[in-house]
Amino acid sequence: MAFSSAASELGESPAPISKSEYRERQEKLYSKLSDNSVLILCSSPTTVRSNDVHHPYRTSSDLLYLTGWSEPDSVMLATKKNGTWQTMLFLQPRNTELEIWEGRRPGLEGALEGWAIDSSFSIDDLNGLLKKELECVNIVYHSVGLNSNVDQIVEDSINSKTRSRQQIGEGPTQRIDPSELIAEMRLIKSDAEIKLMRYSAEISSLAHIEAMKNGYSGIGEWQIQGLIEGCFRYLGASGWAYPSIVGGGENATILHYHANNMKCNDGDIVLIDAGSEYEGYAADITRSWPVNGKFSESQKKIYNLVLKSQLAAIEQCVVGNEYIETHKAASRVLAEGLVDLGIISCTAEEALENGELKKYFMHGTGHWIGLDVHDVGIYKPNGIPRKFEAGMVITIEPGLYFGGWRPDLNDLDPQWDGIGIRIEDDVLITENGPDVLSSRCPKSLDEIESLIGTS
Ligand code: GLY
Ligand code: MN
Ligand code: MN
């Protein structure tokens, strides 16, 4: 059966985040907020794809992080009074008629029973209750932009100059965006989160392996996409964490190519950047390989150079190192290699400074990853590059792109033309050094060559 060998390779699915962990997250956040305040977290809006069809729903990661609640049309409200917090959830109530069409809802009782909240209310009661809560707090923690109704109520409440406000001094006088505080928490992954991320990376690795096994000259980019995304779902992921990039030949030289509608021809490298989402957690993996199963000499040189730079960057993923060391290490290896290959005619030192390397390696070496593929967390708090701490997860994804179609590369030696190679893994920082969550996905040249077309 399709994907049955991938399924047999996949380990036990990890436990979802527990109610007690959600409680711990809430308490940790609440302990950082002022007394006499209210915190509001809104679900993402639903978006129309066309006519009466909607895009698949995915809620906001902050709400997911603090509650695990993933239904649309929901708002979490938490009030802190005299040092005590209450977490309230406003949600769509049960409605048999709608549930017959759209699916079952936990409803108010189900939410109270199954999620880490203190009380549940119909979303229809939000406006009245929110206005009432806002009347008796000083600070409102709220990020604008997801729910215009809530944004307006908050703004009106802050701007209100009623007599009682002036006499009694009640009602919020400031709005503070809580997202940075939540981002700091999300940056360090718990053990339970790491298990989910490793599992998402395993699903994605097995899907990449399926693609390699099924590769041949003439395969369509869309067919590889179908194999990968089909495998994600078959293995239990909710789907992709970001639209899959499958670029054959010169399409591999376009960083976020997503048309995926061309054939991969004999001699082409295909670059596949695809990762699943499991229980909300993203994986982000890129592999680049020749569809005919054999790297040409030129492709081999570029592949091994990118791999060497990726391994050098991964080595920098250690506690206490500035995250920027990963980019410095990858860039140095690439610059030196391109000088050795005669692609860059100045020195490596100069290429790192004068933009020559950027012609072929024009993106960063990685980004935080977690509930979002490009996860939250400021890279340079107060302008200083952040140091790695245990529990952070970052992607390491150097690449080299030789798009002869680019006017600025019109003097490119034809042997490099059309080669685009990126190698990307998800790396957990631990006290014992880097732990590559996506290590199951082969990346040595020999391993890859021995897999292509074997299915
Ligand atoms: N998949 C997008 C990225 O690698 O950042
Ligand atoms: Mn990435
Ligand atoms: Mn990627």
Side-chain angles (χ1 to χ4, degrees):
M1 209 204 285
F3 308 130
S4 54
S5 86
S8 68
E9 296 276 313
L10 186 63
E12 280 284 297
S13 58
I17 303 294
S18 66
K19 256 167 101 169
S20 61
E21 181 163 336
Y22 286 118
R23 277 294 186 199
E24 281 165 27
R25 293 176 185 180
Q26 290 171 14
E27 275 157 27
K28 187 166 174 195
L29 175 64
Y30 299 163
S31 72
K32 295 186 178 137
L33 307 184
S34 297
D35 204 24
N36 229 9
S37 65
V38 62
L39 166 73
I40 307 169
L41 291 178
C42 300
S43 61
S44 302
T46 53
T47 48
V48 172
R49 179 178 181 275
S50 171
N51 197 17
D52 61 349
V53 175
H54 287 74
H55 284 287
Y57 187 70
R58 167 61 153 79
T59 196
S60 63
S61 293
D62 281 349
L63 180 61
L64 199 57
Y65 180 75
L66 283 160
T67 62
W69 184 258
S70 58
E71 301 278 312
D73 211 7
S74 309
V75 174
M76 182 193 123
L77 207 66
T79 57
K80 186 174 187 178
K81 290 172 196 156
N82 305 318
T84 308
W85 278 95
Q86 291 287 317
T87 303
M88 302 176 246
L89 190 64
F90 293 78
L91 52 104
Q92 292 174 327
R94 301 290 311 269
N95 179 325
T96 307
E97 211 175 313
L98 284 176
E99 286 180 59
I100 287 170
W101 285 92
E102 295 168 2
R104 305 291 299 274
R105 295 175 175 177
L108 273 54
E109 277 179 24
L112 201 50
E113 204 173 300
W115 278 261
I117 55 170
D118 298 307
S119 49
S120 55
F121 301 88
S122 165
I123 191 72
D124 301 328
D125 297 333
L126 175 70
N127 289 7
L129 272 161
L130 176 58
K131 284 177 193 166
K132 208 164 127 245
E133 290 297 346
L134 285 168
E135 271 170 25
C136 43
V137 296
N138 301 128
I139 294 176
V140 50
Y141 293 94
H142 172 60
S143 313
V144 294
L146 288 178
N147 183 323
S148 54
N149 166 53
V150 172
D151 294 353
Q152 193 62 54
I153 291 173
V154 169
E155 195 187 325
D156 289 351
S157 142
I158 289 171
N159 293 338
S160 153
K161 301 274 190 299
T162 62
R163 211 171 136 71
S164 72
R165 161 78 63 90
Q166 289 167 45
Q167 284 176 350
I168 308 165
E170 283 181 338
T173 51
Q174 19 166 355
R175 179 184 69 79
I176 298 176
D177 188 334
S179 48
E180 211 176 297
L181 282 172
I182 302 171
E184 283 301 305
M185 293 171 58
R186 285 175 52 189
L187 193 52
I188 309 290
K189 274 69 180 176
S190 70
D191 290 348
E193 287 182 293
I194 290 164
K195 284 189 181 129
L196 292 168
M197 290 190 70
R198 198 185 298 279
Y199 196 70
S200 191
E202 284 199 8
I203 289 174
S204 306
S205 300
L206 291 167
H208 275 267
I209 292 170
E210 277 304 307
M212 290 175 197
K213 284 183 177 170
N214 285 281
Y216 62 91
S217 300
I219 191 169
E221 293 166 347
W222 66 94
Q223 291 172 316
I224 296 178
Q225 178 186 3
L227 278 163
I228 293 231
E229 294 177 4
C231 194
F232 288 168
R233 286 294 288 139
Y234 191 90
L235 297 181
S238 54
W240 45 253
Y242 56 92
S244 306
I245 297 163
V246 185
E250 72 169 32
N251 295 335
T253 69
I254 297 168
L255 302 180
H256 282 175
Y257 173 79
H258 56 257
N260 302 352
N261 59 1
M262 306 277 278
K263 278 197 167 184
C264 305
N265 299 314
D266 189 14
D268 283 354
I269 292 273
V270 64
L271 182 154
I272 304 168
D273 184 345
S276 66
E277 182 174 280
Y278 185 81
E279 288 280 327
Y281 287 88
D284 186 4
I285 299 179
T286 308
R287 290 294 183 264
S288 312
W289 41 268
V291 286
N292 66 11
K294 206 87 192 125
F295 284 91
S296 71
E297 284 309 308
S298 306
Q299 290 168 348
K300 215 179 258 188
K301 287 176 186 154
I302 301 301
Y303 188 88
N304 280 332
L305 177 55
V306 175
L307 183 56
K308 187 175 169 196
S309 78
Q310 202 228 15
L311 296 174
I314 291 173
E315 254 182 48
Q316 297 300 318
C317 293
V318 292
V319 171
N321 247 5
E322 286 182 356
Y323 85 92
I324 201 76
E325 292 303 322
T326 59
H327 188 60
K328 286 186 191 161
S331 301
R332 174 156 297 281
V333 171
L334 292 177
E336 286 170 357
L338 291 179
V339 170
D340 289 347
L341 290 172
I343 295 171
I344 285 180
S345 50
C346 58
T347 67
E349 209 59 53
E350 285 164 348
L352 289 164
E353 295 295 323
N354 67 11
E356 196 58 22
L357 176 65
K358 281 207 171 86
K359 277 164 72 176
Y360 312 102
F361 175 41
M362 59 295 278
H363 56 75
T365 294
H367 49 83
W368 310 126
I369 178 167
L371 283 171
D372 286 300
V373 63
H374 296 154
D375 211 26
V376 290
I378 295 173
Y379 290 89
K380 292 184 183 173
N382 304 315
I384 301 161
R386 195 185 281 276
K387 289 196 168 127
F388 281 134
E389 293 171 46
M392 293 176 172
V393 185
I394 193 163
T395 65
I396 298 293
E397 49 177 305
L400 286 173
Y401 312 91
F402 301 94
W405 54 271
R406 286 165 44 188
D408 62 321
L409 296 187
N410 59 12
D411 56 354
L412 186 70
D413 181 336
Q415 69 169 312
W416 313 119
D417 188 7
I419 300 179
I421 287 171
R422 179 161 67 250
I423 305 175
E424 176 173 28
D425 282 301
D426 305 338
V427 182
L428 167 69
I429 312 298
T430 80
E431 296 291 351
N432 303 318
D435 177 355
V436 180
L437 299 179
S438 46
S439 62
R440 193 148 191 173
C441 196
K443 62 181 171 185
S444 81
L445 200 139
D446 291 344
E447 272 179 296
I448 286 182
E449 282 190 344
S450 70
L451 271 172
I452 297 165
T454 53
S455 163

